[in-house]
Amino acid sequence: MKKYAAHYLFTGKENPIAKGIVQVDSSGLILKITNPHGLLEEQAGLEFHNGIICPAFVNVYHEFEPERFYRKFPLLKAFQTLRPERLSTEKDLLSWLIAIQQTDEQISLQQLIALFTIDAAKAIDLEKEMGSLTPGKRPGLMLISGMDYQNLRLTEKSHLKMLI
C-alpha cells in the first residue's frame, strides 16, 4: 500500500482537494481518498509531491473520427488549431492543454483535466474503471508540476510524470 499527496488532488468533477491524499494498493487500485482540509501532517509511507495529482489521461482522440470527436468534446473545437500534430501520449495531451490555457484565461485547469479524464472515460464507457480518483478504480496516477499553483494554471514549464 502507498499513499501519495500533493499540493492538490484533482479527483474528477469535484473541487480540487488541497494537500489531499490518495491511498492505493500494489496494483494501483484506489483504496481511499483523504481530505485533510489543507492540514497535511507527516505520516509513515506518505509520499508528497510538488504539483497536482490527477487520474491518468484517457486518450480518446484516435477512438473517433475528428468530426465526431469534436461533437463529443465541443469545448475543444475552438482549439483544434492548437492541437499538436500527434496525440498519442499523455505528454502530447498536456501540450494541448497548456496551449489552450495560454490562449483562453476563462478555461480552468479543472475543466481541462476533467475533459481528458472522466469525460473521456465516459465517452468510451469506461468511467466505472478509470477517469476519476475514486475508491475501487484503477485510473493511474499522474503528477503535473511546474505550474502556477496560486492561480492553478499551466505554464510552458508544466510537465507530467506517471506515478502509477
Side-chain angles (χ1 to χ4, degrees):
M1 175 186 67
K2 280 191 118 171
K3 294 178 189 176
Y4 297 93
H7 288 102
Y8 292 97
L9 280 186
F10 280 52
T11 59
K13 294 273 189 179
E14 299 83 27
N15 287 331
I17 300 172
K19 310 259 186 327
I21 302 168
V22 59
Q23 186 175 347
V24 298
D25 71 9
S26 59
S27 73
L29 180 73
I30 295 180
L31 302 173
K32 184 178 178 182
I33 301 292
T34 304
N35 184 347
H37 303 286
L39 303 173
L40 187 64
E41 293 182 9
E42 208 170 306
Q43 300 177 28
L46 178 65
E47 204 174 283
F48 184 83
H49 294 273
N50 289 319
I52 62 167
I53 293 175
C54 64
F57 291 146
V58 179
N59 192 345
V60 296
Y61 184 75
H62 299 291
E63 298 290 324
F64 306 105
E65 294 292 323
E67 187 177 309
R68 188 165 176 231
F69 174 81
Y70 290 114
R71 274 199 316 269
K72 286 205 172 272
F73 304 98
L75 177 70
L76 295 174
K77 186 158 181 67
F79 304 104
Q80 60 186 326
T81 59
L82 300 174
R83 183 180 58 80
E85 198 170 306
R86 92 182 185 175
L87 277 178
S88 52
T89 69
E90 286 85 1
K91 289 180 182 182
D92 298 334
L93 291 170
L94 181 65
S95 69
W96 196 10
L97 271 60
I98 291 168
I100 291 169
Q101 267 214 317
Q102 290 179 342
T103 302
D104 189 332
E105 292 186 15
Q106 301 303 312
I107 295 179
S108 72
L109 183 55
Q110 185 176 349
Q111 283 177 285
L112 289 174
I113 289 175
L115 273 172
F116 285 105
T117 57
I118 190 63
D119 293 345
K122 285 178 182 176
I124 56 174
D125 296 322
L126 289 176
E127 73 272 15
K128 290 181 181 168
E129 300 162 34
M130 58 179 53
S132 65
L133 300 182
T134 305
K137 289 187 179 185
R138 273 187 194 83
L141 295 182
M142 200 168 59
L143 174 71
I144 301 175
S145 54
M147 52 184 283
D148 173 354
Y149 298 107
Q150 204 166 22
N151 298 304
L152 289 178
R153 306 283 303 169
L154 298 170
T155 69
E156 289 179 3
K157 295 179 181 178
S158 295
H159 56 279
L160 65 81
K161 172 184 173 183
M162 295 304 295
L163 297 175
I164 56 169

